[in-house]
Each structure stands twice: as structure tokens, then as C-alpha cells.
Amino acid sequence: MMETPTTASYWVQRLGRRLNGRKSQLLDSCRSRHYCTITEEHHHQYPYHRVPSPQPQDLSRVKTNEHGQLQCRGCDQITYLLRWAEAERRKDANHKGTSPKRIIHNSYIELDSCARMSNCDACQVARRALLLDQITGRDAERLRDTDNQSPVQVALDVRPGCDSLLVSIDSESGVPLFSATVVLSQKPCLAVGKKTKGPSTPSRLRPNFEELRQVVNNCHNNHQCSSRYRWNSRNPSWLLQILANGKVRVIPGPDRLVDYVVLSYSWGDPAAMPAEEWARIKGASTKTVNGVPVAERTNPFSRSILPETMQDAIAITQELGYEYIWIDNVCIPKGTDWDTEASLMHEVYGNAAFTLLASSSTKATERMLHDRLAWLQEPKHCKLRNHFLYNTQKPLHEVRLDPPASQRAWTLQEERLSPRILYWTGQRWYWSCPEHQTVESSPFDLPSPVSASEEQSWSPPQRFLDVCRIGDFQSIDQEWLDIVEAYTRRDLAHSADRFLAISGLAVRFLEAKMDGGDKTRVSEQYISGLWREDLARHLSWSVASAVDPRGSHQEVAPSWSWASLPLCVNTKMRHAFKQSPHFQFLGVRQFSSDYTPVTASTNLGQQVVSNPRLRSKLAEQHGRAIKQIEIRGRFRRFISEKSRAVSWEDIEWKRGERVGFNFEEFPGQDLHSRNRNDGRIVSKDAHGGEVVGQLDYVLPAGDNHGDKKGSHSVALGDGEETELMCLELGELAMLLLQRNPGPEETWRRVGVCIGYEQRKGFFYGCESRTVVFA
């Protein structure tokens, strides 16, 4: 039956339609007053990326929150987490922990659009945090890659006195791609950064050279860096002079010391770039005729023919008011004595006005100068639910470790030999000298929250120079161990440069160990990357896990030197150590076949006596040529002749994170076992404790015996562990040795044992023996 105006149900339906219509009008009015969306007009204003396609959930619509600031729907998730933290603290005032992640935007592009177009205050802080965390310009570009977008997530890290917002972008499999930290504070505050002058948006796209000039000038005028750390008054053999109109030229180093900048950068991996690109990098080198640079380089030429990293380094140097720059590929002409130049790096870097470290580029053909997209908008106070959000300054030690340049072996000594360093990243610069460290900043930057243990786990890059200057020999020895740990993790384009790329540091170490005022001799001796005065400790290096013997450099260095390892290997150099009273270094037994020792009776030998500079260089060259040394110490078998081989799985014991051994199935038996994956090896006496060692190499899966004529000969084959002997280095440290084939008895290193607390008397009663290490 049809409803009539007089029936009750008719009036109920009509009232419902009127209420729904009124609700719709109210919602439309609210949206028009409080929300905005990204339009095609905005897209034309910012054409450098395309507007993302519509997402299932629109998170970019903004409203004005209770603090009068714009807040998008995505940022409601941050507010939710803040309420969660408040609830947890009501239960426990000292609550600490990390919340689950919540999505604030469907992609970085959506976050970027919301921050720039909708002007959402919190999204501006999150966007800036992600950009500032990227060291290289390429990483910042990866954020905006339209073909690889993932949701932007946040989690709240709650700690007493310091809450942080963890912003991250993960891959589909959950692997973190990008991450950054936003500091939360309940009070408005300003960090040490200075507000820049001039228009906000355009000026911040360029580096803040005004602030940087003040920092550099303050160091040169008010610090003692030059008087304390400058090595001498000599310039490099050749410098690149910066001229007007984009011109440069190669000139001999002037007789008087001039202020010059040194560039430290990564050439790049030739295997990862087109052949023509690598040829362009190599082609930047200066050619010579009869040992003199060609006229094409000594006459003014356009710097545009050089790779992009070099071009931008020249531009930065010129912007800071310097006329000269030293770039290895240009200022070490072809045909130059490379050994000599490499050993003088402590002078090149020590005498420079500062070292410009190109952290922003991954290879020489990439730009150093990029638009500072993090500063498109002037930073301002941002407040959500009574919390102020602040961007952080990435700690310097993370900046040092992250960029590709830090993976290059040559840059280690370039950094450690430089009193002043300007780290140039994609979005800001960092300055470090012995007296001051600072970063290009804004008035709303805060230092990253760093725990006391993290603060103590790293040292400034100038520490090596500092301990060398004051003559703290114990610290110098420890610094060398730290240097080697960092060095063995790095890569080299040419393995033959294994010693050359660290030779400047070795020469500086030698100079620090001079006998008092006697500049003609030193008590120390360089021995294939190790040092005589603490040789037992230096011999006790170990690998974190056994490595593939393919790539071993035993043609470059002897087995007992860390330099014989493959490239990019994690080593452990520092551990509690007390030298055994039975250990003795007897002397050098053999040099490489192509080495000619210098004697005092020769003309060159007489020059060494009167020229400390030449003496140090030749002492380093002498040391890297050593192939055999003679050692005396307590000596014995590692595994007893009656020992039984058992599988690793039969004796390994695990309880959660605790790992040990369980020998209860083999009572009263001598046992030994090897872990085929990581190279651990164990020897146990029937009624005594076990000794656990670490082998240097492990054979690839399926290769049980190795190729005795090739590089596999450095690894143990099946059953060869029973032939191992060991020599005591320290109270709880020994070398594992295998005899080399041949009529002469020499031994090669295959591993090490450190800290065998279960068998402290392992060498008790053993006789000392003289052993030749090869």
C-alpha cells in the first residue's frame, strides 16, 4: 500500500532524508573551511615529479589542529601514538619501548606533496628528516623514484627524558630502505644552528657558504690547528691553480707554502660502470713528456673537461676563497714515482688548508653539488598534542661510515692524516678539526639522541694525529690497530696497492716513534703492516669469520700479515693481551726478490742518515718488502695424536643466545672438530678444557681438498687439522701454524686462538723453539 502524507512512516522517512541532507551540507562546509587537496594547479607549480595516482586512502587532506597548525590525516597516526605513550606512562612513569609502526602516507611522493603543497607542518619535518639522513645525492634521488615507492611509516620510541619518532620506508619484504629520527620535546627550544639571512626558500637550495666561510676562517684565525698539526712548509709537487672564467692549470708547488685544498673522493667501481665512463675518469690524469706535464695541462684549460666531482670540488674551493686545490688524479702526473708520492701523503694532507671529502658522490662522474631539497621550506616550530617536533643532526661518525668514499681504502689515510676536514654530503656540510666540530644547521635542529656507550665507541678522525703529536706511544699502538680494522674492510681497485694505500700512515707512525731528539734512527720497525715493538700483539689479529681463500694476497704479503687477506674482510685487532715472557722476535729472515736494501756505504744510504724525510720513506718501503721473520716461543701440537674427530653438531651447545660445547657423549677422550661454515676449530684434552681457535680461511662448499697449486693452498683440506702446530704469543693467545712444503722448514699461519680460559695451562712445560714464519 502506498504511503500517504498522513501516515506516520511517511513522516519518519521524510525527516530522515532532511537530516541526511543537513549532515551532508555540514560536512561539505567543514571540508571547504578546514581541508585542502592537491590539485592539477599545484602540479604545474612543482613539475619536477608527477602527481601520484589516487590511493585507496586519501591521507593528504589537512585541517587546522588545536595548536593552529596544519595537520593531515596521515599525521593523525602520530597523534594516536602520542596518546598511546601518554597512556603507557600513566601505567608506568618510567615506561620505555617502541610502538608498532603506523602508515602516515602511502609513498614518499605523497609525503613530499603533502609537505610542499598542503603545507602540513609534521610532514615537512618528516620529509626533511628523510632527506637529511641521505648522505649522497643519489640516495636523495632514490627517495623520489616513482617506480619504487613504498608506504612511509612511523613508530614512537619512548625513553625517559627523550622520545623520538622513527620515520622509515620499508620494502615489500620488510627490509628497511630509508630511515630517520625526529626528536620530540614538550618545550620549544633552539639548537646551536644560526638562522640564515635572505629569502628563505631560494637561498636554502644552495649550500650555506656564508656560514661555512665563517667556520673555516674562525679555525684558521683562532685555533692552533696549523701550529700543532701542519707537518712542514712544503707544498705538493704539483697543484691545480684555479683561474677566472672556469679555467684551471697544473703548476709546480710554489717554493713558499700556500693555502691549498685537498680533494678526497671515490673514483668508483670500474666493474659497475660503462667502460667509456671509467676511461673518462682515468683520462683526467695529467700526461707527461720527459717527466714534465704536457702543455695542455700547464696552460689554462677548461675545468669542464674534468669529471663532475672534480668540477664541483673546484667550485667549492673557489667559493671559499682558495686559489689552489690538489686532486690525486690530476696532480700526480703519469710517470711519477708512485711509491714516493704515496709515502708522502702525510705531508700533502697535513699541510693542506683542509681536506674536502666528497661524501655526496659515489663516483668521480657524479656531482657534489645538489639542490638542498630538505630546505625548500624554512624550518619552523611544529607541534602535535603538546609535543614539538625537531629535525636532528646526523652524528659525524655515521657520516664518516656511510658514504661510498668510506669503503675506498685510499680515503682512510686521507682522512686520518688531515687536521681539518670538510665532509660534503648531499644536503649539508660537516666541519671537523681538532678543536671544533660543527654542521650546516637551521635554528630548529637538535643533535641526534646518542647513548653514552655510542658516544664512547668512536673517536674523532684527528685522534691518530693527536696521539702522534704528543708522543703517547701506547695510544699510538692502539690507534694503529683501529686503523687496520677499518682498512681491511675497505676495497681497492688494484690489490698491488695494499701497502701503498696505507704507507702515509705508516710513515707518520714511524716519525712519531723517533728516539727523542735523534732524527736519524728509530727504535721501531715496520714489518709487513705490523710493528716490531708490539709484534706479538700485532700477530694475534683474527678474522670475524673464515673467508674464501680465493682472493688471498699472499703474493703481496706473507701469511702472518693481515695484508695477505682478501679485500673487504672484517678483522679483529683489539682484545685483552699480555705478551708471553717466552716470546722473542729474532729478526728478519728474507725480503721480496725485487727489493734492494739500502746500506750506509752507498750514496743513497748516506742521504738517509742526513735526510729524515727520505729515511722514513725508505724504512716504510723496507718494511713492506719483508717476507720471512724468525720467532722464538713455546711450541707444541694443537691436536694430540690420539685425538678423535667428531662432527661440530655433536658437541655444539645452544640455549637461546648462549653458545658453548657439550662433551658428555665422549667421556675421557681427546677430541677435535671444525666448523665448515665459519672456520672455528676446537681441540679438547680428555680430562681438560677445550681450546677454541679461528681459522683464517675455509674452503668453498664442495672443494674438500683445494688446489695446492693455487690460492686454495692457504686453506686446510680434510684431515689436515691434525698436522697443526701452535706457537704462544700471549698468556691466552697463540698462532695456529702449518708447515710449508719443501726442504727448508718454514711455517705459514692458518689461524689464531684468543682467550682460551678453559685451558690456561695449554703451554705449561712446553719447550721454546725457533720458528721461521713465511
Side-chain angles (χ1 to χ4, degrees), residues 21 23 47 61 99 108 136 150-151 184 195 223 244 284 294 316 323 367 420 545 550 577 587-588 703 732 774:
K23 180 180 178 182
R61 299 175 66 186
S99 73
Y108 172 80
T136 69
S150 297
L184 302 179
K195 188 175 180 64
H223 296 174
V294 294
I316 294 169
E323 185 181 355
R367 289 286 177 191
R420 304 182 184 93
S545 182
R550 290 172 294 191
F577 185 88
V588 176
D703 188 348
L732 292 175

Side-chain angles (χ1 to χ4, degrees), residues 252 464 512 538:
F464 175 70
H538 285 245

Side-chain angles (χ1 to χ4, degrees), residues 605-669:
Q606 294 170 4
Q607 293 178 37
V608 172
V609 174
S610 60
N611 188 338
R613 184 189 190 198
L614 183 59
R615 174 193 49 74
S616 299
K617 180 178 76 71
L618 290 178
E620 184 274 328
Q621 292 179 354
H622 170 96
R624 70 171 112 118
I626 294 174
K627 294 298 182 184
Q628 292 185 3
I629 55 175
E630 203 166 24
I631 301 293
R632 187 170 182 83
R634 291 200 290 190
F635 192 79
R636 60 160 289 176
R637 293 183 64 90
F638 180 62
I639 297 170
S640 70
E641 294 179 343
K642 57 182 180 180
S643 178
R644 173 186 172 185
V646 297
S647 71
W648 193 264
E649 292 75 16
D650 289 340
I651 60 172
E652 189 174 41
W653 175 90
K654 292 183 178 180
R655 293 293 186 276
E657 295 183 357
R658 297 179 61 193
V659 179
F661 297 96
N662 185 348
F663 301 102
E664 63 181 16
E665 294 185 12
F666 310 97
Q669 299 181 50

Side-chain angles (χ1 to χ4, degrees), residues 135-137 261-267 308-314 316 354-370 399-400 402-408 411 414 421-426 428 430:
I135 301 299
T136 69
V261 174
V262 171
L263 175 64
S264 177
Y265 65 110
S266 173
W267 286 30
E308 283 74 5
T309 296
M310 301 181 193
Q311 293 180 36
D312 286 352
I314 293 169
I316 294 169
F354 64 85
T355 295
L356 174 58
L357 204 154
S359 302
S360 61
S361 57
T362 64
K363 53 186 177 181
T365 52
E366 285 185 352
R367 289 286 177 191
M368 288 179 63
L369 294 169
H370 302 271
V399 174
R400 292 173 58 196
D402 281 355
S406 68
Q407 308 305 317
R408 177 174 169 253
T411 60
E414 295 168 4
I421 309 171
L422 175 59
Y423 296 88
W424 197 273
T425 72
R428 65 190 346 166
Y430 290 73

Side-chain angles (χ1 to χ4, degrees), residues 234-240 250-255 260 293 326 330-333 336-337 340-341 344-345 347-348 613:
R234 277 190 289 267
N235 291 302
S237 302
W238 299 92
L239 286 170
L240 193 62
V250 175
I251 64 167
D255 294 334
Y260 63 91
W326 186 90
V330 180
C331 298
I332 303 180
T336 301
D337 184 350
T340 298
E341 292 294 332
L344 295 179
M345 289 300 103
E347 291 190 9
V348 172
R613 184 189 190 198

Side-chain angles (χ1 to χ4, degrees), residues 536-557:
R537 178 191 297 274
H538 285 245
L539 284 168
S540 66
W541 57 266
S542 66
V543 293
S545 182
V547 297
D548 191 327
R550 290 172 294 191
S552 168
H553 289 85
Q554 295 202 15
E555 76 283 358
V556 176

